Amino acid sequence: MTLRADAPPQTHVRRFGRTQRWVHRSTAALMGVCVATAACLYIPEFAELVGRRELVVRIHEWAGLALPAPVLAGLASRAFRADLGFLNRFGPHDRVWLRAALHRDKRRSSRPAGKFNAGQKIYAAWIAGASLAMLGTGLLMWFTHLTPIQWRTSATFVHDWLALTIGIVLAGHIGMALGDPEARRGLRTGLVSKEWADREHSLWRH
């Protein structure tokens, strides 16, 4: 009679599937192109280094126009839609997390989180709204014959200053990601350690 050995304890859990990772990578790549080309258009030193302003403008326009495409394509995935639901839903624990963050309370017990913490939810909502505003103002600037000059002037003002804000927020987002290798691995491979999941997102799997 053969005795079956007990299964080894699970050390990793799946955080993201293939679709979520593809949407994140594609959106990040398009956003990176938008930011890089914007820098070449507005910073004289970069503009002189790159040259060919007309080509840079076209790349910037088409990358911005394509920015919503990965998210729209991802809606075909049930798992991706579920994650959007998590991101769009705030609970009492999110208020606790935000209160602890505002008071710089770094204890993990004071920062309960589901699959996404409150900071990630706020960032996702803000960057989605900002991207749509950039798309709308960009279209007004692109199709100049469709709107009066007052609209185009206002759109240019909003587009330029919002672009600067997005650059600052993205720098903070990247900085936080660099400080959390396990979170980066979750977006790269889809898997995170069970210890990290229980520590950083204690309400996720309960």
Side-chain angles (χ1 to χ4, degrees):
M1 175 176 169
T2 304
L3 296 176
R4 296 180 59 185
D6 291 337
Q10 185 182 22
T11 58
H12 292 86
V13 293
R14 180 162 295 281
R15 182 161 173 79
F16 297 115
R18 183 177 300 176
T19 300
Q20 294 100 311
R21 287 180 282 140
W22 176 84
V23 170
H24 184 269
R25 291 172 185 172
S26 302
T27 303
L30 289 169
M31 183 67 77
V33 171
C34 288
V35 171
T37 51
C40 293
L41 292 172
Y42 288 100
I43 299 176
E45 291 78 9
F46 290 169
E48 293 175 3
L49 182 65
V50 175
R52 305 189 67 179
R53 180 179 176 84
E54 186 65 25
L55 176 61
V56 174
V57 169
R58 293 293 169 260
I59 294 174
H60 182 79
E61 290 171 342
W62 285 105
L65 194 62
L67 193 58
V71 173
L72 294 176
L75 292 176
S77 165
R78 181 180 299 177
F80 181 72
R81 295 196 304 271
D83 276 357
L84 289 182
F86 293 140
L87 283 168
N88 196 42
R89 189 178 302 118
F90 272 75
H93 61 278
D94 292 309
R95 290 192 288 272
V96 175
W97 192 99
L98 286 172
R99 192 178 304 116
L102 290 173
H103 289 87
R104 299 182 182 277
D105 187 347
K106 298 184 181 297
R107 294 175 302 164
R108 296 303 175 189
S109 59
S110 67
R111 297 193 180 191
K115 186 170 186 179
F116 303 101
N117 62 45
Q120 292 167 332
K121 293 178 180 181
I122 291 174
Y123 170 78
W126 187 88
I127 199 67
S131 298
L132 290 176
M134 291 293 286
L135 177 61
T137 54
L139 289 172
L140 290 177
M141 295 164 61
W142 192 355
F143 299 102
T144 56
H145 61 286
L146 297 179
T147 55
I149 189 169
Q150 294 89 343
W151 289 24
R152 298 197 303 271
T153 302
S154 300
T156 301
F157 178 83
V158 172
H159 196 87
D160 291 352
W161 283 102
L162 189 54
L164 177 61
T165 306
I166 288 176
I168 295 171
V169 172
L170 281 178
H173 176 68
I174 293 171
M176 295 187 69
L178 291 175
D180 194 340
E182 193 68 23
R184 295 201 311 275
R185 184 171 74 162
L187 279 169
R188 188 177 68 253
T189 67
L191 299 174
V192 294
S193 69
K194 184 177 181 299
E195 178 187 5
W196 180 88
D198 292 340
R199 184 180 72 248
E200 300 290 337
H201 300 271
S202 56
L203 304 178
W204 170 21
R205 299 181 301 126
H206 297 286

